[in-house]
Amino acid sequence: MLCYQKDYPRPQFVRRDWINLNGAWDFDFDDDNKGEVKCWYEGFHTEKEICVPYTYETKKSKIHDEGVHHYVWYGRRFQAEKEKLSGNKLFLHFEGSDFLTKVWINGQLAGMHEGGYSRFSFDITNLVKDGENLVVVKAEDHMDPQQPRGKQRWVSENFGCWYVQTTGIWKTVWMEYVPDISLNSVKMTPNLQSGGLELEYTVDCPNPLDGRRLEVEAAVSFGGRFVIRTLTGIGKNPTKAFIDLEAAEADNPWGICTWTPAEPRLYDICFRTLYDGEVCDEVGAYFGMREIRIDGPNILLNGAPLYQRLILDQGYWEETHLTPPDEEALIEDIDKIHALGYNGLRKHQKIEDERFLYWCDVKGMLVWSEAPAAYVYSDRAVELFTREWLDIVKQNYNH
């Protein structure tokens, strides 16, 4: 498919120019929480090394310490290319870091994020220099049952289905160069009743239009067969658009190709952002034409009753805990679930790697996505959950 790149962490919004920062990072514990006072964000000396994105509690991290450490630090060097920064922004993305994360670039604070399960990003364009740069990360986590914990224990020993805590970076860290004029986001909603795809574009454009055109082109294909191309003028954010697949597929004997677990048919879609007719940005994605709704006691898929054969999927590995050891492990789990005769799964108390959702889309696996639970009800618990869950729904909406 157009959008697939092995190990690419965001398969519903793919650009070609990205850098994977997983691998060896400097690492240290800061049990007395003195690192910021000692300016560790400018660089810190340590003999420890961790393999990101595996947390220090796991075997594959090379640390394998299951004890509780509330404050941990990471550091590594990376390269920035001056010529690529001309006309582009450089974003640093964290797919997941638990729980409070602060990030510095070359000793300057890039930003901070609270929450263990949602993606967050920082524009580091003005913080980097040509050549070698330093990124330092401090992660702070506590055994607070008000936090969305999921399967993470909040006492010193495992019990029931609550396992070793997950501290710090536990999903991919990566960078990408993004054009100054670019597609920030696109929300795709299939509408079988209307026979097409509803779109909401958000576009970044720092330059005044001054009569020039800002547009987004969407080119849809299916199995390598061109279907339709649309061009939408962008006047404000968000801008809504509609792709009439019913008309475009009028000559197709099968009409609109719908998605079901038995036949997981997906359309490819390529978005190009144009400024005064010139292509500035290109993003690859895909979508499935499907509708899920409730009719009395029945759940309907594309208007027909859907009998769900669901398995409870923990998404947990012996040597890597909540982090999948690799993309192949995700595919293997989906294939085994299919082999056992199931058509779906309930992802238990966890927001899984987005590559997992991609392969479920491709292979025809229904997913009930479950929020990680807090275990004390309070105003803070509600606030933490609500803020992060809204981000997660937006991030995974198009799957």
Side-chain angles (χ1 to χ4, degrees):
M1 297 181 68
L2 170 71
C3 61
Y4 176 68
Q5 292 184 34
K6 187 178 184 300
D7 295 326
Y8 190 83
R10 194 186 55 200
Q12 261 289 7
F13 203 79
V14 178
R15 291 189 177 94
R16 303 186 194 283
D17 200 358
W18 69 289
I19 304 102
N20 194 333
L21 295 181
N22 289 348
W25 288 57
D26 293 332
F27 178 82
D28 213 345
F29 298 117
D30 182 18
D31 292 335
D32 296 326
N33 194 23
K34 294 181 178 178
E36 288 191 65
V37 175
K38 295 182 177 179
C39 302
W40 285 14
Y41 48 82
E42 295 177 350
F44 59 97
H45 175 73
T46 179
E47 296 180 358
K48 295 186 181 71
E49 187 176 89
I50 193 169
C51 184
V52 168
Y54 311 110
T55 66
Y56 75 78
E57 294 95 343
T58 67
K59 291 180 181 178
K60 202 162 183 179
S61 70
K62 300 181 181 179
I63 303 290
H64 195 208
D65 178 345
E66 294 187 355
V68 176
H69 299 277
H70 296 308
Y71 308 96
V72 295
W73 289 76
Y74 304 78
R76 66 157 289 168
R77 305 279 175 176
F78 67 92
Q79 296 291 319
E81 302 177 46
K82 186 177 181 179
E83 58 272 18
K84 284 189 176 182
L85 290 174
S86 177
N88 289 315
K89 295 167 287 191
L90 181 59
F91 281 92
L92 176 63
H93 302 292
F94 291 78
E95 291 298 301
S97 180
D98 201 348
F99 180 69
L100 175 64
T101 307
K102 296 181 180 180
V103 179
W104 292 266
I105 303 295
N106 298 323
Q108 299 181 72
L109 183 66
M112 59 187 296
H113 176 265
E114 191 174 47
Y117 292 91
S118 57
R119 175 191 301 120
F120 57 98
S121 306
F122 302 115
D123 181 348
I124 61 172
T125 311
N126 296 325
L127 302 178
V128 298
K129 57 188 178 182
D130 187 32
E132 188 175 81
N133 293 266
L134 172 68
V135 54
V136 174
V137 177
K138 178 189 180 185
E140 178 179 335
D141 198 12
H142 297 278
M143 307 294 261
D144 183 355
Q146 298 175 99
Q147 295 176 191
R149 304 198 65 82
K151 294 189 291 287
Q152 299 181 58
R153 68 191 182 191
W154 60 94
V155 294
S156 58
E157 300 293 335
N158 295 351
F159 67 103
C161 65
W162 289 274
Y163 313 137
V164 177
Q165 71 281 348
T166 297
T167 305
I169 298 170
W170 69 282
K171 288 185 179 181
T172 294
V173 183
W174 59 294
M175 299 191 306
E176 67 172 340
Y177 291 94
V178 178
D180 288 338
I181 301 173
S182 56
L183 185 63
N184 178 284
S185 67
V186 59
K187 181 181 181 181
M188 297 186 282
T189 305
N191 190 326
L192 290 180
Q193 303 300 316
S194 300
L197 182 71
E198 298 172 359
L199 298 165
E200 284 189 17
Y201 297 122
T202 302
V203 176
D204 288 338
C205 182
N207 304 323
L209 293 180
D210 295 334
R212 287 173 284 189
R213 304 186 313 277
L214 180 63
E215 300 163 305
V216 173
E217 177 193 79
V220 177
S221 59
F222 182 86
R225 169 180 60 88
F226 173 76
V227 176
I228 189 173
R229 179 179 286 107
T230 64
L231 192 64
T232 302
I234 305 298
K236 60 180 180 179
N237 287 323
T239 296
K240 294 188 176 182
F242 182 77
I243 297 178
D244 191 346
L245 284 175
E246 192 167 58
E249 295 282 47
D251 296 330
N252 182 1
W254 300 279
I256 293 176
C257 298
T258 55
W259 185 98
T260 67
E263 294 184 278
R265 296 179 292 194
L266 297 169
Y267 287 88
D268 287 315
I269 186 165
C270 179
F271 298 104
R272 294 184 178 91
T273 305
L274 297 93
Y275 186 64
D276 211 21
E278 181 180 346
V279 176
C280 301
D281 185 29
E282 183 172 306
V283 173
Y286 66 91
F287 63 93
M289 289 301 294
R290 59 95 184 97
E291 174 199 66
I292 294 179
R293 60 186 171 91
I294 296 172
D295 180 19
N298 300 311
I299 291 181
L300 306 183
L301 175 64
N302 304 335
L306 169 68
Y307 185 81
Q308 297 175 84
R309 302 184 303 277
L310 304 180
I311 195 169
L312 181 67
D313 182 9
Q314 295 275 350
Y316 196 91
W317 288 268
E318 182 180 1
E319 294 192 349
T320 58
H321 297 187
L322 291 181
T323 307
D326 48 43
E327 191 167 331
E328 287 70 22
L330 296 171
I331 297 170
E332 181 183 10
D333 274 7
I334 296 168
D335 288 343
K336 285 182 175 178
I337 293 169
H338 267 141
L340 289 168
Y342 297 95
N343 65 3
L345 59 94
R346 169 187 161 203
K347 177 57 69 171
H348 185 239
Q349 290 288 310
K350 178 189 179 187
I351 305 304
E352 189 54 271
D353 192 297
E354 199 172 333
R355 293 172 298 171
F356 180 80
L357 298 180
Y358 166 79
W359 283 110
C360 286
D361 292 342
V362 169
K363 290 176 173 288
M365 183 67 69
L366 295 161
V367 179
W368 282 83
S369 186
E370 180 175 284
Y375 296 97
V376 166
Y377 183 80
S378 67
D379 288 349
R380 174 167 167 76
V382 171
E383 179 187 356
L384 292 174
F385 165 80
T386 303
R387 186 171 62 233
E388 189 167 18
W389 187 241
L390 287 171
D391 287 341
I392 290 164
V393 170
K394 290 177 183 177
Q395 289 167 12
N396 292 342
Y397 182 87
N398 292 334
H399 282 286

